Amino acid sequence: TLCRVMEKHNVKKIIFSSMLAALTCVATMVIKIPSPLNGYINLGDCIVLLSGWLLSPLYGFLSAGLGSALADLFSGYVTYAPATFLIKGLMALIAFGGFQFIHKRFGNLTARIISGAAAEVFMIAGYWLFEGFLYGFGASAVNIPANGVQGIAGLVIGMSLTRIFEKQKII
């Protein structure tokens, strides 16, 4: 019976992670505002952060990375998919680790703000580096403000969704 309980728990984690990956993909694809260097601004970051805050490091990484990379593939941004997988997966890890480190000292709200902001700064730097190798670092700087706007929206909406999930006892 212990094996059945463990299997049930793992199945629930896999299903929840898969749902967040699908939601990340959909949130990324629903609203796409083109940015200057063939990328786009989207709402996927809110679910990426949610994956980091709600899941274990491995499940959060995979959920955020796969969902975001699939959105790139389905949207025709194939060149971006490998970088997106890594950047968004690491964003979830940063959100997870930062939250775990900070929340005991300063509370959940402060921990989410700091860990989410750190993850978003990483996203901005990650795409600046990736696009720098593709288009040149001067040209890639053009997308920094757009990625910053995406990061702020992702942080605010992600925190709001987390609050809703907590109130509804989803987490």
Side-chain angles (χ1 to χ4, degrees):
T1 56
L2 181 60
C3 289
R4 284 190 179 152
V5 170
M6 291 300 289
E7 286 176 9
K8 200 180 223 182
H9 181 68
N10 286 335
V11 169
K12 284 182 181 180
K13 283 172 48 175
I14 291 168
I15 290 170
F16 191 61
S17 300
S18 300
M19 287 176 23
L20 284 177
L23 194 54
T24 301
C25 183
V26 170
T28 301
M29 294 179 69
V30 167
I31 297 175
K32 291 189 299 193
I33 302 166
S35 63
L37 291 178
N38 296 328
Y40 57 95
I41 299 170
N42 62 77
L43 295 178
D45 281 10
C46 59
I47 311 300
V48 168
L49 293 175
L50 201 63
S51 296
W53 291 327
L54 302 182
L55 300 171
S56 67
L58 176 63
Y59 284 99
F61 178 92
L62 291 173
S63 179
L66 285 173
S68 299
L70 285 172
D72 279 352
L73 290 173
F74 295 153
S75 299
Y77 295 91
V78 177
T79 305
Y80 277 76
T84 293
F85 174 78
L86 189 59
I87 291 167
K88 300 297 183 165
L90 289 172
M91 279 179 67
L93 282 180
I94 291 166
F96 174 86
F99 180 81
Q100 294 301 315
F101 182 74
I102 298 167
H103 90 278
K104 290 179 184 170
R105 293 186 189 126
F106 300 105
N108 287 350
L109 179 62
T110 302
R112 284 202 178 93
I113 291 169
I114 294 171
S115 65
E120 295 296 353
V121 167
F122 175 81
M123 179 269 296
I124 293 166
Y127 281 114
W128 176 74
L129 283 171
F130 174 70
E131 292 171 341
F133 287 113
L134 288 179
Y135 308 113
F137 290 98
S140 71
V142 169
N143 277 346
I144 290 174
N147 285 334
V149 169
Q150 176 177 307
I152 291 168
L155 181 58
V156 170
I157 296 168
M159 289 175 54
S160 300
L161 287 173
T162 303
R163 192 110 162 107
I164 291 168
F165 276 36
E166 287 172 341
K167 282 188 177 183
Q168 297 300 315
K169 299 190 184 337
I170 294 171
I171 56 173

